[in-house]
Amino acid sequence: NNEQVCIIMAIDSYDNVIIKIGGNGPVKTEYVSKVLDGMIEENSILVTDSKTAYQKFAKKNKLKLIAIPSKKRITKDGYHLGELNSLMSELELYIQRFRGLSTRHLQEYLDLFKFKKILKYTIEYMEQAEKTLTFSVTQNSNLINKKIHKIKIPIDILNIFGNDFK
């Protein structure tokens, strides 16, 4: 129904992850296009479930589509959605911790989830605080002096994120 939010998720063979809001309601071709246009090279293989939105997107972008039929988990050629399904389950658990959240800020939650996943799998635990600070400083963000003038320096990044890195 239109009270649900369509989140478009994609993972490539190099573990690059895209997690973006597509729109309200079930997945539509326009949502997939809004998020993935220009992100996938022509003639690439797109592995999806069997929703028609992906079929139209693949045809428009000249992609080879492998649609996993409903009630099937794997194709004869070994294509599957296991990694993506796992990521979706992790995202569901992550969002449930907040016991409801505003769709107004949903993309920020998705960005933080993605950032934590990247951080967890690419950086040694002892370097995470430093890398987090370096990454966040280099991003396009608006920091207003009123917001940060009371924060004691140095900032303890591990306390900001809580136990998520442990």
Side-chain angles (χ1 to χ4, degrees), residues 9 17 19 86-95 107-119:
M9 299 177 78
V17 176
I19 306 174
S86 174
L87 188 64
M88 287 171 33
S89 295
E90 285 182 55
L91 178 61
E92 285 179 30
L93 289 173
Y94 175 76
I95 289 175
Q107 187 60 55
E108 285 90 1
Y109 284 97
L110 297 176
D111 293 342
L112 183 59
F113 172 78
K114 177 182 168 182
F115 176 70
K116 287 179 179 183
K117 292 294 294 176
I118 291 167
L119 194 65

Side-chain angles (χ1 to χ4, degrees), residues 19-106:
I19 306 174
K20 297 239 183 228
I21 296 173
N24 291 337
V27 65
K28 298 177 184 174
T29 306
E30 65 189 74
Y31 297 165
V32 178
S33 293
K34 179 174 117 178
V35 173
L36 297 179
D37 267 351
M39 304 291 283
I40 306 172
E41 293 181 22
E42 279 187 22
N43 301 315
S44 293
I45 298 172
L46 181 65
V47 182
T48 69
D49 60 23
S50 55
K51 301 241 183 334
T52 57
Y54 303 116
Q55 295 169 2
K56 293 175 184 176
F57 173 78
K59 186 175 183 177
K60 179 182 127 193
N61 289 280
K62 299 176 183 157
L63 304 172
K64 179 183 178 192
L65 178 69
I66 298 177
I68 310 292
S70 53
K71 299 185 182 180
K72 297 273 184 176
R73 297 195 186 276
I74 193 166
T75 66
K76 295 177 215 169
D77 300 329
Y79 292 102
H80 59 86
L81 298 172
E83 191 174 350
L84 188 61
N85 289 334
S86 174
L87 188 64
M88 287 171 33
S89 295
E90 285 182 55
L91 178 61
E92 285 179 30
L93 289 173
Y94 175 76
I95 289 175
Q96 285 175 1
R97 292 183 352 189
F98 299 106
R99 297 191 178 112
L101 51 92
S102 165
T103 53
R104 178 179 179 193
H105 301 288
L106 180 58

